[in-house]
Amino acid sequence: MFSLETLQQTLSALGSTVWITLMLTLGAGIVSLIAGSISVSAQLGGGWVGLFASRAYVSVMRGTPLLVQLLVLSYGLPLLGIRVPPILAAILAIGLNSGAYTTEILRGGVLAIAPGQIEAAKMVGLSRFAIWRRVVLPQAMANSLPMLVAEFSIILKSTPLASIISVTEMTYAGVLIQARSFSSLDVFLPIAAAYVAIFYAFTMLAVWLDRQLAPMRG
Amino acid sequence: MVHLKKSKVAFLSALVVSLGITSQASADALDTVLANKKLVVAIDPTFAPFEFTDASGKIVGYDPEIIEKVAEKLGVEVEYSVMAFSGIIPGLIAGAFDVTPTLNVTAERAQKIDYVMPTAASMNAVMIVSGNGVASSSIDDLSGKTCAVKQTTQPEQMMMAMNDELVKAGKAPVELIGFETIEQTVAALVDGRAACVVDDKSVLVQAVAARTDAKLEVVGDIGGTQWIGWGVNKANPKLTEALSAAVKELVADGTVSQLQTKYFGYTVELPTADFIPAQ
């Protein structure tokens, strides 16, 4: 049932939706890193209030399905009078969900830093904030890089969920073609290849980053 | 940190609000639709012939064609919001769009949303090879015969339920043989392994048209009818009423039956009231 026509339609749909998938993935990745950094900072240096808030955030995000979070965020916010474009709602929902896992990944990275370094930083007179921002967090990220790459791949593979709030990304574009052509392989093989290509490109970036960060690793 | 807590508060209150309140107490969406000259239609165009996309990606099908004619009557434009089906009813309840087509009319859904008068029906039918000894689609005529069905589908489940009734009445059940695809059931019918095929009527009509070599015939309907209609948020009774009135006009002038012939290959009488099933 392989048809050149279906393949052409798929490639053209990929051309227009690969940007949506990239935007969702990079956007959610950035939200995840920011949310994870803030949350791990609160957990390890924010007193009991910070600890509680961070734990609550991680529990809520890890304890509910991403699908539910997506629906709550995109249909709950308008009820509060906040209107956001669907793609932004999807980026926020996927990013905040992933941020909970990033919190735990970064926590591992922070705990791996030798305590002597922090003592040394105190000795040279750095403030608590400066120690956190210049000594602890960068090394935590460097330590956690392999886990963060894995988390990024999960973000990439979560993006098709955005189709339930009217964001047509690569997978749903394929579903639309499949529904009229009744063929699957010539639609979803190119789409699978596009996901692999995105992930591979990101892995290459991570390898490069890993080399840059190597001297920082504690 | 402050930022995070704020967003968490917003998130949690959104959760509470979305659980507690189904829609805002505001004006009927009909006013907004007429004022903006725009009817926002949520659609998952993956269900041919009801709603699908053509090669250029344009949304086409039976219900989109009716919706566009209805919008024309109201003097508004149709704006499609394309999304996967699982997001459609939650979005409708949250008021994210005005109407969504092609929903099965069920008592359970009718508690959450309102229905415009149905535009179509889904029903099962019996297909035979002409003169092969099956007199009609009544279950008594099928008793003891072999019928081909697609595995794990609604028609198969319906036939199993009917078999229970036959056995209770002391009659021979219909022997069901299951296949993966409609082509395989048709092949079983044509080479005599099965005396009939039970499936959705529009599917069977297409098979009859496709296999002109085999003297296939849809001998009649079987089981009940399930209506298919458009859903509207319960907060907008005026919008539901206006859409129903426009559909009714299109039924009266013959447009709807013309479209039924075009997309399904058969026509069906549509009810204007009391179409919500009791259960």
Side-chain angles (χ1 to χ4, degrees):
Chain A
M1 280 284 283
F2 188 86
S3 115
L4 204 63
E5 198 193 328
T6 310
L7 184 67
Q8 275 169 354
Q9 287 179 17
T10 306
L11 292 178
S12 118
L14 269 181
S16 56
T17 53
V18 67
W19 306 110
I20 306 286
T21 293
L22 272 175
M23 213 160 23
L24 284 169
T25 311
L26 292 177
I30 291 167
V31 170
S32 171
L33 265 186
I34 294 173
S37 304
I38 294 173
S39 168
V40 79
S41 308
Q43 198 173 113
L44 298 177
W48 68 269
V49 179
L51 180 67
F52 175 79
S54 172
R55 280 280 157 80
Y57 163 68
V58 171
S59 303
V60 168
M61 289 300 174
R62 291 208 299 192
T64 52
L66 176 55
L67 184 67
V68 172
Q69 293 163 14
L70 201 58
L71 290 173
V72 165
L73 204 71
S74 61
Y75 296 134
L77 288 185
L79 291 180
L80 299 177
I82 307 165
R83 295 221 166 260
V84 288
I87 187 157
L88 194 60
I91 286 174
L92 279 177
I94 298 171
L96 287 176
N97 173 279
S98 164
Y101 298 89
T102 301
T103 302
E104 297 300 292
I105 291 169
L106 290 179
R107 194 165 66 102
V110 169
L111 297 180
I113 298 168
Q117 285 200 23
I118 295 160
E119 283 160 25
K122 276 184 194 154
M123 287 292 292
V124 297
L126 287 178
S127 71
R128 252 183 94 202
F129 180 71
I131 294 172
W132 189 256
R133 202 174 67 85
R134 290 173 178 275
V135 180
V136 179
L137 262 191
Q139 291 195 82
M141 296 231 184
N143 287 339
S144 316
L145 199 60
M147 292 293 286
L148 290 175
V149 171
E151 183 56 29
F152 180 88
S153 85
I154 293 172
I155 292 178
L156 173 64
K157 288 174 286 182
S158 305
T159 56
L161 271 182
S163 64
I164 67 159
I165 56 165
S166 80
V167 178
T168 303
E169 41 60 64
M170 295 199 305
T171 298
Y172 188 59
V175 170
L176 293 179
I177 296 170
Q178 186 205 26
R180 65 167 180 261
S181 66
F182 299 103
S183 55
S184 297
L185 277 187
D186 31 3
V187 176
F188 287 111
L189 276 182
I191 289 175
Y195 280 106
V196 173
I198 293 176
F199 181 64
Y200 186 73
F202 183 77
T203 311
M204 289 295 97
L205 184 70
V207 167
W208 176 82
L209 209 60
D210 193 47
R211 276 198 213 114
Q212 306 303 306
L213 292 176
M216 279 169 63
R217 204 153 287 138
Chain B
M1 192 50 232
V2 172
H3 168 77
L4 177 72
K5 276 199 318 211
K6 258 188 197 158
S7 71
K8 262 169 57 67
V9 168
F11 180 82
L12 289 174
S13 15
L15 182 72
V16 170
V17 168
S18 68
L19 290 176
I21 308 169
T22 50
S23 63
Q24 284 164 304
S26 59
D28 195 288
L30 179 64
D31 304 328
T32 329
V33 166
L34 294 178
N36 299 342
K37 295 200 170 304
K38 196 174 75 181
L39 182 70
V40 184
V41 178
I43 194 165
D44 176 28
T46 58
F47 192 51
F50 285 95
E51 43 185 19
F52 54 107
T53 51
D54 66 12
S56 68
K58 186 177 177 298
I59 290 162
V60 292
Y62 175 75
D63 271 326
E65 208 164 318
I66 299 182
I67 280 196
E68 279 154 30
K69 288 191 196 312
V70 163
E72 208 176 297
K73 277 187 184 293
L74 297 177
V76 302
E77 298 280 322
V78 171
E79 182 185 297
Y80 288 111
S81 189
V82 180
M83 66 181 78
F85 185 75
S86 34
I88 283 187
I89 292 181
L92 189 69
I93 291 171
F97 35 78
D98 301 315
V99 61
T100 186
T102 324
L103 295 176
N104 278 309
V105 179
T106 67
E108 196 189 12
R109 279 183 189 157
Q111 291 172 358
K112 304 250 161 55
I113 58 173
D114 280 344
Y115 284 103
V116 175
M117 72 163 274
T119 55
S122 80
M123 62 180 95
N124 294 315
V126 177
M127 182 169 71
I128 59 163
V129 173
S130 296
N132 74 346
V134 177
S136 82
S137 62
S138 107
I139 191 68
D140 289 327
D141 279 337
L142 297 177
S143 164
K145 300 266 193 320
T146 302
C147 283
V149 290
K150 284 186 304 205
Q151 277 163 352
T152 71
T153 58
Q154 186 271 336
E156 183 188 44
Q157 285 158 11
M158 181 195 74
M159 289 306 291
M160 285 175 176
M162 286 186 161
N163 271 343
D164 291 344
E165 296 296 314
L166 279 176
V167 171
K168 258 186 225 161
K171 291 178 185 153
V174 182
E175 195 184 322
L176 297 175
I177 45 177
F179 294 95
E180 284 292 316
T181 66
I182 181 70
E183 286 78 15
Q184 291 165 1
T185 62
V186 174
L189 175 65
V190 171
D191 64 27
R193 277 175 289 157
C196 72
V197 174
V198 179
D199 209 324
D200 185 81
K201 190 170 177 180
S202 60
V203 171
L204 295 181
V205 167
Q206 280 172 23
V208 169
R211 291 291 300 267
T212 44
D213 56 313
K215 282 183 39 190
L216 297 176
E217 177 189 345
V218 175
V219 75
D221 302 342
I222 187 167
T225 303
Q226 193 170 32
W227 299 114
I228 294 175
W230 309 345
V232 176
N233 190 306
K234 271 194 183 297
N236 308 320
K238 277 162 62 190
L239 178 63
T240 310
E241 208 176 298
L243 294 173
S244 281
V247 172
K248 209 171 170 179
E249 282 174 38
L250 291 169
V251 170
D253 71 10
T255 310
V256 166
S257 62
Q258 225 176 324
L259 291 174
Q260 285 174 347
T261 310
K262 174 176 168 187
Y263 285 101
F264 308 135
Y266 63 89
T267 61
V268 58
E269 203 67 31
L270 297 168
T272 54
D274 301 327
F275 48 80
I276 310 285
Q279 193 71 134

